[in-house]
Amino acid sequence: MRPTSPVDPSADIRDAVADASAIERADVEVTKAAAPYRHTLPVRIAGQLSELADQPPLISICAATLALGLVTGDRRLARSGGRMLASELLATAIKSAVKKSIDRTRPKLLVDEGRYRMAPGSTDEHPINSFPSGHTAGAVTVARAFARDYPEHAGVAYLAASAAALVQIPRCTHYPSDLAAGAAVGIVAELAVSAVLDRAWPADVQDDPVRVTAARPTSA
């Protein structure tokens, strides 16, 4: 795998982040190091797959999971789908509110044009709404929601969420701190939904492998 031409740490970029915080400057350094790989085949393929973590497809996946559980009478699947859908909707609402209150230029603008800005704002235009990462918020909240009902598959869920989030850095769509903020949004959303759902829609013993194991009598 050969990277494209490395990003030149030009005076424009240095000037653009001269007044930025230490976290922002660290974000910029990581972006400059990862940017040469954005057009390589692995990053392009992983980036396309990560689009499943965008809001429309992820909401569709969650809704389909809920519907399949209801149609087949699978309570655990239906509960998981409901948890995933509610968590994703809440995470989307939170990240959208934050995006509209903070303007941050996307890494692509920094790499291609030497432009960087992060400040309070009131717009939701794509080139300046990098913070937080919606892909990360969605991937994390859905992975946590799924893992709560299917702990035996938690590792796969978290691995997929991590991959969907981390590829945004070499794609130059998000900075590392965007990912951290998105993950925080996803965790908060899932915790809030689960606190309500687990009381309103408790798991039956036969639906919950953890409880089944606990309830199974041991041999003498």
Side-chain angles (χ1 to χ4, degrees):
M1 179 177 68
R2 297 178 63 85
T4 56
S5 299
V7 177
D8 179 22
S10 65
D12 289 341
I13 293 179
R14 292 197 299 270
D15 291 343
V17 298
D19 298 326
S21 68
I23 292 176
E24 291 173 84
R25 290 196 297 272
D27 279 345
V28 168
E29 291 304 314
V30 172
T31 296
K32 285 161 53 179
Y37 296 90
R38 63 175 165 159
H39 297 305
T40 59
L41 185 60
V43 170
R44 286 191 283 118
I45 292 175
Q48 288 300 312
L49 291 174
S50 77
E51 288 305 303
L52 289 172
D54 199 9
Q55 283 75 61
L58 202 54
I59 289 173
S60 298
I61 291 170
C62 296
T65 302
L66 172 61
L68 181 62
L70 292 174
V71 168
T72 60
D74 187 331
R75 283 177 51 86
R76 183 159 69 128
L77 185 63
R79 189 177 62 254
S80 183
R83 189 192 307 275
M84 291 160 57
L85 181 59
S87 298
E88 167 61 6
L89 292 174
L90 180 56
T92 297
I94 296 172
K95 70 89 183 176
S96 296
V98 177
K99 280 182 179 289
K100 289 181 179 179
S101 64
I102 298 177
D103 289 348
R104 189 182 200 186
T105 49
R106 298 265 179 180
K108 288 181 180 179
L109 291 179
L110 176 79
V111 171
D112 294 339
E113 304 175 21
R115 294 168 52 194
Y116 179 80
R117 177 176 179 268
M118 184 172 184
S122 59
T123 183
D124 195 27
E125 297 178 9
H126 186 267
I128 56 174
N129 72 349
S130 182
F131 185 89
S133 167
H135 283 70
T136 303
V140 168
T141 198
V142 169
R144 285 180 58 89
F146 178 79
R148 194 176 289 269
D149 289 297
Y150 289 90
E152 66 272 29
H153 300 306
V156 174
Y158 290 136
L159 180 61
S162 298
L166 291 174
V167 74
Q168 306 309 318
I169 297 175
R171 291 182 80 197
C172 291
T173 54
H174 286 291
Y175 296 100
S177 62
D178 297 340
L179 271 56
V185 168
I187 291 170
V188 168
E190 189 277 326
L191 287 174
V193 167
S194 292
V196 176
L197 184 66
D198 288 339
R199 290 184 175 86
W201 194 350
D204 290 339
V205 171
Q206 63 267 29
D207 295 331
D208 189 333
V210 175
R211 294 175 65 187
V212 166
T213 301
R216 185 178 297 142
T218 57
S219 59

